């Protein structure tokens, strides 16, 4: 019984950050706390230090390092996580001074990515990002080389890959790049086929834990993993959705974002994020109950601009409105939609907003088609435009939602 309890014991983490005034340090540390929880560890405490700039040797300076060492010793801390990117030298110095394994924000995010990846492409992307990040850190014989203990910050490529020589790692990186390049080409071909077939795509993007997967499930019953954790969804999911008007679109759920997401992580998942960039309509979902929902929207909008999405219809979606104490505090953006994906509230308004932004022109027709022109029904059916049909003595009575290229074919049989 005691052994079972020890096996279930969570690793304890000390969170360390510096406030240089460049960004909201407290908000970033709170997010780091959630990241640690998502990694399966327990945030034991937070230590902050105001500095003009990080210390070159240990990030926080010798006095604070001694405090960290004492705290870790007295509270049985398993690892330290810094809310900033550390150099290999800083990691080695901190571990030598504290005798506790140390990781940084980027390593933690990569670790969660490794935990969440489900598809082959997702796993390859994670491994590539980890190896490229760890490559300069595989020097010397410091504590950062010792991964036999396992735990947070050690998932992904594995022990043998991390301790092999750099030449082997470079070969592995080259292999991963080639494999991902082939997958990207296949994705591009599928995307091109959708474009040729006239498939309209709607991408769900936004800050991690905003409820994107819950919204996807509510709209399409896609069965996407939906948890109250950061990065619960890493791999993109695509499902068809028939709108109330009868037109079908392809919904795409994408990886969540966080503030200060390191540039090379964005690069690693660029092919996945390009699914959003290539979409016809983008739903920018945010957690309306978060005090920082405005910042979350900004993070997403900045990335969308980087991906060249400024010309696309972007619909702000305020989710979790059931948790907002005063809905009147939310912006009165005429383009925005307020929903609660968990309880399917506001979904009708969201679907209407999607219909309003469709890139195709649609027109509803009531038709009376002569029997000798019944082949037109097959055309409408294959285009997904036919909503109803009934055989009468005068001909075939039908209702259809027709795209502009087919208008000329159905107009002769239109009835008021």
């Amino acid at each position: 019984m005691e052994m079972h309890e020890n096996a279930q014991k969570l690793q304890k983490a000390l969170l360390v950050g510096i406030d240089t005034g460049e960004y909201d340090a407290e908000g970033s540390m709170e997010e780091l706390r959630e990241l640690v929880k998502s990694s399966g560890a327990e945030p034991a405490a937070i230590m902050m230090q105001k500095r003009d700039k990080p210390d070159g040797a240990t990030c926080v300076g010798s006095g604070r390092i001694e405090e960290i060492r004492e705290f870790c010793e007295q509270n049985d801390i398993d690892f330290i996580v810094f809310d900033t990117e550390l150099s290999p030298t800083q990691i080695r110095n901190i571990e030598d001074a504290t005798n506790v394994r140390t990781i940084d924000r980027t390593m933690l995010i990569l670790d969660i990515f490794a935990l969440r990846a489900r598809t082959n492409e997702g796993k390859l992307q994670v491994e590539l990002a980890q190896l490229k990040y760890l490559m300069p850190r595989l020097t010397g014989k410091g504590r950062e080389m010792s991964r036999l203990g396992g735990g947070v910050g050690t998932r992904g490529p594995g022990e043998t890959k991390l301790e092999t020589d750099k030449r082997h790692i470079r070969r592995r990186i080259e292999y991963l790049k080639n494999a991902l390049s082939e997958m990207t080409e296949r994705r591009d071909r599928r995307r091109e086929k959708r474009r040729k077939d006239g498939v309209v795509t709607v991408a769900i993007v936004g800050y991690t834990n905003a409820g994107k997967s819950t919204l996807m499930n509510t709209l399409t019953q896609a069965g996407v993993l939906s948890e109250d954790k950061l990065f619960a969804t890493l791999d993109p999911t695509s499902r068809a959705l028939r709108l109330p008007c009868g037109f079908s679109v392809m919904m795409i759920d994408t990886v969540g974002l966080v503030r200060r997401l390191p540039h090379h992580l964005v690069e690693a998942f660029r092919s996945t994020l390009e699914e959003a960039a290539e979409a016809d309509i983008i739903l920018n979902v945010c957690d309306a109950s978060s005090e920082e929902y405005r910042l979350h929207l900004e993070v997403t909008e900045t990335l969308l601009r980087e991906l060249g999405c400024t010309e696309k219809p972007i619909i702000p979606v305020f989710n979790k409105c059931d948790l907002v104490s005063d809905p009147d505090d939310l912006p009165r953006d005429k383009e925005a939609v307020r929903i609660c994906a968990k309880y399917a509230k506001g979904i009708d308004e969201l679907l209407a907003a999607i219909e309003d932004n469709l890139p195709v022109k649609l027109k509803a027709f009531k038709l009376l088609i002569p029997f000798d022109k019944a082949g037109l029904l097959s055309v409408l059916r294959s285009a997904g435009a036919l909503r109803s049909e009934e055989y009468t003595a005068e001909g075939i009575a039908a209702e259809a939602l027709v795209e502009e290229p087919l208008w000329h074919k159905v107009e002769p049989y239109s009835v008021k």
Side-chain angles (χ1 to χ4, degrees):
M1 182 69 180
E2 187 178 342
M3 287 179 62
H4 177 72
E5 287 176 358
N6 288 339
Q8 297 299 317
K9 182 184 174 185
L10 294 178
Q11 286 189 305
K12 291 169 68 176
L14 171 62
L15 285 56
V16 180
I18 58 171
D19 184 0
T20 60
E22 293 179 17
Y23 54 85
D24 177 11
E26 286 189 12
S28 186
M29 288 300 290
E30 189 55 40
E31 183 175 275
L32 187 69
R33 184 203 295 270
E34 293 303 315
L35 287 168
V36 168
K37 287 180 183 177
S38 290
S39 73
E42 176 191 347
I46 289 176
M47 283 192 182
M48 289 283 291
Q49 184 181 47
K50 282 187 177 290
R51 296 184 64 92
D52 293 333
K53 62 180 182 179
D55 179 77
T58 57
C59 189
V60 291
S62 57
R64 183 51 59 94
I65 277 292
E66 180 59 24
E67 289 179 31
I68 290 172
R69 185 194 66 75
E70 290 178 2
F71 183 89
C72 292
E73 211 172 70
Q74 295 166 5
N75 294 274
D76 196 23
I77 297 297
D78 295 291
F79 69 100
I80 304 166
V81 54
F82 275 70
D83 190 39
T84 187
E85 196 163 298
L86 299 173
S87 69
T89 302
Q90 286 172 327
I91 290 177
R92 186 164 58 250
N93 291 340
I94 295 166
E95 290 186 337
D96 287 345
T98 63
N99 201 33
V100 177
R101 184 166 55 86
T102 301
I103 63 174
D104 61 20
R105 182 187 181 90
T106 301
M107 293 164 73
L108 179 65
I109 292 174
L110 282 168
D111 188 75
I112 297 170
F113 277 14
L115 185 66
R116 299 279 184 262
R118 293 289 181 269
T119 67
N120 190 38
E121 181 176 15
K123 291 173 182 176
L124 292 181
Q125 284 176 324
V126 169
E127 184 177 354
L128 177 60
Q130 284 183 311
L131 289 178
K132 288 172 77 172
Y133 188 72
L134 291 172
M135 181 79 160
R137 289 160 172 78
L138 299 179
T139 56
K141 296 182 180 179
R143 186 177 303 275
E144 71 274 14
M145 287 290 292
S146 178
R147 304 288 172 178
L148 293 172
V152 176
T154 67
R155 285 179 281 242
E159 180 68 17
T160 56
K161 292 189 184 69
L162 292 181
E163 295 194 351
T164 192
D165 65 286
K166 288 192 174 185
R167 197 181 326 167
H168 176 80
I169 294 177
R170 288 193 188 97
R171 284 199 299 268
R172 181 65 181 168
I173 286 174
E174 203 57 39
Y175 166 79
L176 292 171
K177 283 181 177 177
N178 292 335
L180 286 168
S181 178
E182 290 176 9
M183 291 180 177
T184 300
E185 287 176 12
R186 287 200 293 272
R187 189 198 300 278
D188 289 343
R189 286 195 292 271
R190 288 198 301 268
R191 198 182 288 146
E192 186 60 33
K193 185 177 186 302
R194 286 203 301 252
R195 193 179 291 116
K196 285 181 178 177
D197 292 344
V199 177
V200 173
T201 53
V202 181
I204 305 175
V205 302
Y207 214 74
T208 186
N209 208 30
K212 298 184 299 300
S213 296
T214 302
L215 176 58
M216 182 78 159
N217 289 336
T218 299
L219 292 174
T220 68
Q221 291 78 53
V224 180
L225 175 67
S226 177
E227 296 183 21
D228 186 22
K229 289 182 178 179
L230 303 191
F231 300 118
T233 302
L234 182 60
D235 303 302
T237 305
S238 302
R239 292 290 184 275
L241 169 67
R242 182 176 286 274
L243 297 171
C245 68
F247 189 78
S248 291
V249 297
M250 183 68 71
M251 301 294 298
I252 301 171
D253 186 18
T254 60
V255 63
L257 308 172
V258 294
R259 80 186 87 196
R260 296 168 54 229
L261 188 64
H263 182 70
H264 55 270
L265 287 190
V266 175
E267 284 299 312
F269 289 85
R270 197 171 189 86
S271 61
T272 304
L273 293 169
E274 278 174 358
E275 287 286 347
E278 294 293 328
D280 298 288
I281 300 171
I282 297 172
L283 305 182
N284 184 0
V285 182
C286 74
D287 177 358
S289 66
S290 168
E291 293 180 359
E292 298 189 316
Y293 72 86
R294 292 179 189 274
L295 174 65
H296 297 177
L297 287 173
E298 271 179 38
V299 169
T300 310
E301 287 166 2
T302 299
L303 180 62
L304 291 174
R305 279 196 300 273
E306 289 176 5
L307 292 171
C309 301
T310 51
E311 302 301 317
K312 307 278 177 84
I314 300 176
I315 305 171
V317 180
F318 293 97
N319 189 26
K320 305 186 185 181
C321 284
D322 58 312
L323 302 177
V324 177
S325 55
D326 189 359
D328 291 334
D329 289 343
L330 296 175
R332 289 290 177 183
D333 187 338
K334 65 177 181 178
E335 301 296 327
V337 181
R338 303 178 182 199
I339 68 167
C340 171
K342 186 176 181 179
Y343 300 111
K345 293 180 180 177
I347 298 300
D348 289 344
E349 289 81 358
L350 177 59
L351 295 176
I354 294 173
E355 288 181 355
D356 291 343
N357 286 278
L358 288 172
V360 294
K361 290 185 178 180
L362 301 170
K363 188 186 289 187
F365 285 90
K366 285 189 176 181
L367 306 169
L368 185 61
I369 302 171
F371 292 114
D372 62 342
K373 301 293 182 182
L376 181 57
L377 286 175
S378 298
V379 174
L380 295 175
R381 197 175 289 114
S382 63
L386 194 62
R387 301 180 73 178
S388 69
E389 58 182 295
E390 182 183 354
Y391 284 75
T392 69
E394 295 80 20
I396 307 166
E399 291 186 9
L401 187 71
V402 185
E403 293 183 43
E404 189 175 23
L406 291 177
W407 288 357
H408 70 284
K409 288 189 176 183
V410 300
E411 279 173 340
Y413 312 110
S414 176
V415 295
K416 292 184 179 179

